[in-house]
Amino acid sequence: MYSHHTVRAYDDELTYLTRKIAAMGGHAERLVDQSVAALVNADVSLARKVIEDDALLDEAQREIDDKSILVIARRQPMAGDLREIIGAIRIASDLERVGDLAKSVAKRVMVVAEGRQPISLFRGLQALAELALTQLKEVLDVYASRSVERIEFVRDRDNQIDAMYTSLFRELLTYMMEDPRNITPCTHLLFCAKNIERIGDHATNIAETIYYVVTGDQMPVDRPKEDKSHRVTLPADKQ
Amino acid sequence: MYSHHTVRAYDDELTYLTRKIAAMGGHAERLVDQSVAALVNADVSLARKVIEDDALLDEAQREIDDKSILVIARRQPMAGDLREIIGAIRIASDLERVGDLAKSVAKRVMVVAEGRQPISLFRGLQALAELALTQLKEVLDVYASRSVERIEFVRDRDNQIDAMYTSLFRELLTYMMEDPRNITPCTHLLFCAKNIERIGDHATNIAETIYYVVTGDQMPVDRPKEDKSHRVTLPADKQ
């Protein structure tokens, strides 16, 4: 039998994982926020900081992975606790990807800064990033509170993000057609927009993982997708 | 103590996971192959098939996840077996993403088919896809054979894929600048190229997971990146 002390140590291990995920989440939020700020303000030194700091998320993921596997091997957890630990591994993987996506935005700051894009484009990107960040904050709150009844809102917001991304995609194509000098910077902005849209997808993945951790069930496979950007063509193409 | 029969059943469960991963891998390869064929041949009905078949990978991932968690809970595996099962969960997640990326290429077939792109562009995409597919096949072979000494080759090839992607990125920008009618289809082709490049990344992730499963160690964090596309600008922009 486990002694009281041993059980306490086990609880501490689970708490460690939960706290580490929360810290990773806060970190990921900051990187997203800073990468978009760097892009909008053409702040190359902030971009460099984001690129460097992404390594902290990689490291945190490894720590969570190692610790999770150690806990499984040592404690042989059942049902709920096992889901908790597998959930930590999954969420850490999504947060690590969010960091990669922020880094990918940051890497494009220099090229985009060389051109002069219309302010409305940056506003569009900022609005998209705000939605994605709200989404990320909300799932991290749901993770902390385990209030799965809020998960449907997360999915709805993901649809808004996709719709906003599609409209930004169209706007960027329009600028590219207006002036060939816009092509290179707008292409990089397109990839930035896509990265931000993907951050919303990872937030939704995290929401699905939390649902699984709390209920033991998987959410239904079919997730409605409002990203229609793959269909976007512009009349100007046919001229 | 486990009876002989029980141990046998446990072995069967582990073999089931390994076989399921191999099947998933074969499936993912086929989707990548077909999505690129659909793109190159403007084959809209093949593209539709890829989009539908991607659901099979989603389902396979769920099955592997559920089974893995069941095996951990039931068998309380130690060390090597535990790594094997955690590895299956990770690899299934990468293969599911490969399917998503193939689907994303397939979704763009219709829009790209509306334009007439230079044959050299498709050749570039095909070459990129062939490299990514070789990469994927090789890691699946390494998974079957557990010959981790081949893993360094996988990383080298990933660098080739990134370099080829960067050159394709540059070529696509050039076509966009030559004629505004190329902008929409070439933008979609850019995303296709990016998706294929990401498939190479997932193959590399899988290689890293296999390394971990076999050796118990993580591969070093720093992976050299040859994707320099975020820096690409063209002289024409400055005209």
Side-chain angles (χ1 to χ4, degrees):
Chain A
M1 276 308 292
Y2 289 130
S3 70
H4 177 70
H5 176 75
T6 313
V7 174
R8 173 71 189 275
Y10 181 19
D11 280 345
D12 286 350
E13 284 168 353
L14 293 178
T15 309
Y16 171 88
L17 285 178
T18 315
R19 283 209 188 126
K20 194 88 195 166
I21 292 279
M24 229 188 136
H27 222 76
E29 281 176 29
R30 183 174 62 78
L31 289 192
V32 175
D33 197 31
Q34 289 180 339
S35 69
V36 176
L39 191 70
V40 170
N41 305 313
D43 185 340
V44 176
S45 74
L46 184 59
R48 249 185 232 121
K49 190 172 149 35
V50 171
I51 295 167
E52 274 168 27
D53 286 357
D54 174 57
L56 301 173
L57 281 184
D58 296 345
E59 213 177 284
Q61 189 201 359
R62 262 160 203 260
E63 262 184 66
I64 289 169
D65 275 11
D66 289 347
K67 185 76 175 182
S68 299
I69 291 166
L70 216 64
V71 176
I72 297 176
R74 193 187 290 157
R75 308 290 179 186
Q76 310 189 326
M78 301 299 286
D81 285 346
L82 182 55
R83 287 203 305 274
E84 192 69 50
I85 299 166
I86 298 287
I89 293 178
R90 281 193 199 152
I91 294 172
S93 157
D94 276 301
L95 290 175
E96 189 270 334
R97 277 296 298 150
V98 169
D100 283 349
L101 292 163
K103 182 166 87 170
S104 173
V105 170
K107 277 179 167 180
R108 297 180 194 272
V109 166
M110 211 176 306
V111 173
V112 172
E114 287 172 9
R116 278 150 303 162
Q117 274 58 56
I119 200 92
S120 75
L121 271 187
F122 286 119
R123 280 211 197 103
L125 264 175
Q126 272 180 310
L128 189 68
E130 267 163 36
L131 262 187
L133 269 176
T134 311
Q135 175 88 324
L136 194 57
K137 281 195 183 101
E138 202 145 282
V139 288
L140 291 168
D141 284 353
V142 173
Y143 181 69
S145 65
R146 306 293 151 116
S147 42
V148 280
E149 65 281 2
R150 282 160 62 200
I151 279 179
E152 274 310 308
F153 291 99
V154 171
R155 277 193 171 177
D156 288 347
R157 186 166 303 109
D158 198 36
N159 286 336
Q160 284 177 47
I161 292 175
D162 289 343
M164 197 184 269
Y165 165 68
T166 302
S167 116
L168 202 55
F169 188 97
R170 193 182 298 274
E171 198 183 348
L172 280 160
L173 283 189
T174 310
Y175 285 116
M176 287 155 89
M177 284 179 196
E178 276 173 15
D179 187 339
R181 282 173 299 186
N182 292 336
I183 290 177
T184 298
C186 284
T187 300
H188 288 289
L189 284 177
L190 263 175
F191 277 99
C192 292
K194 182 70 194 169
N195 289 335
I196 297 169
E197 184 264 337
R198 290 282 308 145
I199 290 168
D201 288 343
H202 285 286
T204 308
N205 288 349
I206 295 174
E208 289 172 353
T209 299
I210 299 169
Y211 185 89
Y212 163 77
V213 167
V214 175
T215 67
D217 293 321
Q218 306 263 15
M219 288 184 86
V221 174
D222 280 311
R223 180 198 295 180
K225 275 303 272 182
E226 293 299 320
D227 169 9
K228 305 275 191 291
S229 66
H230 59 274
R231 292 192 205 149
V232 170
T233 55
L234 290 178
D237 290 321
K238 320 285 179 204
Q239 278 168 8
Chain B
M1 276 309 292
Y2 289 129
S3 71
H4 177 72
H5 176 76
T6 312
V7 174
R8 175 69 189 275
Y10 180 21
D11 280 345
D12 286 351
E13 283 167 354
L14 293 179
T15 308
Y16 171 88
L17 284 178
T18 315
R19 282 208 190 126
K20 195 87 195 166
I21 292 279
M24 230 188 136
H27 222 75
E29 281 177 29
R30 184 175 60 78
L31 289 192
V32 175
D33 197 32
Q34 288 179 338
S35 68
V36 175
L39 191 70
V40 169
N41 305 315
D43 186 340
V44 177
S45 75
L46 184 59
R48 251 186 232 121
K49 190 171 148 37
V50 171
I51 295 166
E52 275 169 25
D53 285 358
D54 174 56
L56 301 172
L57 281 184
D58 295 345
E59 213 177 286
Q61 190 201 359
R62 262 159 203 261
E63 262 184 64
I64 289 169
D65 275 11
D66 289 348
K67 186 77 175 180
S68 298
I69 291 167
L70 216 65
V71 176
I72 297 177
R74 191 187 291 157
R75 308 293 178 185
Q76 310 189 326
M78 301 299 286
D81 285 346
L82 181 55
R83 286 204 304 273
E84 191 70 50
I85 299 166
I86 298 286
I89 293 178
R90 281 194 197 150
I91 294 172
S93 157
D94 277 301
L95 290 174
E96 189 270 336
R97 276 295 299 150
V98 168
D100 283 349
L101 291 163
K103 182 165 87 168
S104 173
V105 169
K107 277 179 166 181
R108 296 180 193 273
V109 165
M110 211 174 307
V111 172
V112 172
E114 286 172 10
R116 278 150 302 162
Q117 273 58 56
I119 200 94
S120 75
L121 271 188
F122 287 119
R123 280 212 196 103
L125 264 175
Q126 271 180 309
L128 188 68
E130 268 164 36
L131 261 187
L133 269 176
T134 310
Q135 176 88 323
L136 194 56
K137 281 195 184 102
E138 200 146 281
V139 289
L140 292 168
D141 284 352
V142 174
Y143 181 69
S145 66
R146 306 293 151 115
S147 41
V148 278
E149 66 281 2
R150 280 161 62 200
I151 279 180
E152 275 310 308
F153 291 101
V154 171
R155 278 192 169 179
D156 288 347
R157 188 166 303 108
D158 198 36
N159 286 336
Q160 284 178 48
I161 292 174
D162 289 342
M164 197 186 267
Y165 164 68
T166 302
S167 116
L168 202 56
F169 188 97
R170 194 182 297 273
E171 197 184 350
L172 281 159
L173 283 189
T174 310
Y175 285 116
M176 287 155 91
M177 285 182 195
E178 277 173 13
D179 187 340
R181 284 173 296 186
N182 292 338
I183 290 176
T184 298
C186 284
T187 300
H188 289 288
L189 283 177
L190 263 176
F191 277 99
C192 292
K194 183 69 193 169
N195 289 336
I196 296 169
E197 185 263 337
R198 289 284 306 148
I199 290 168
D201 288 343
H202 285 286
T204 307
N205 288 349
I206 295 174
E208 288 172 353
T209 299
I210 299 169
Y211 184 90
Y212 164 76
V213 167
V214 174
T215 67
D217 292 321
Q218 307 264 14
M219 287 183 87
V221 174
D222 280 310
R223 182 197 292 180
K225 274 304 271 183
E226 293 300 319
D227 170 9
K228 304 277 192 292
S229 66
H230 60 274
R231 292 191 205 150
V232 170
T233 56
L234 290 178
D237 290 320
K238 319 287 177 204
Q239 278 168 6

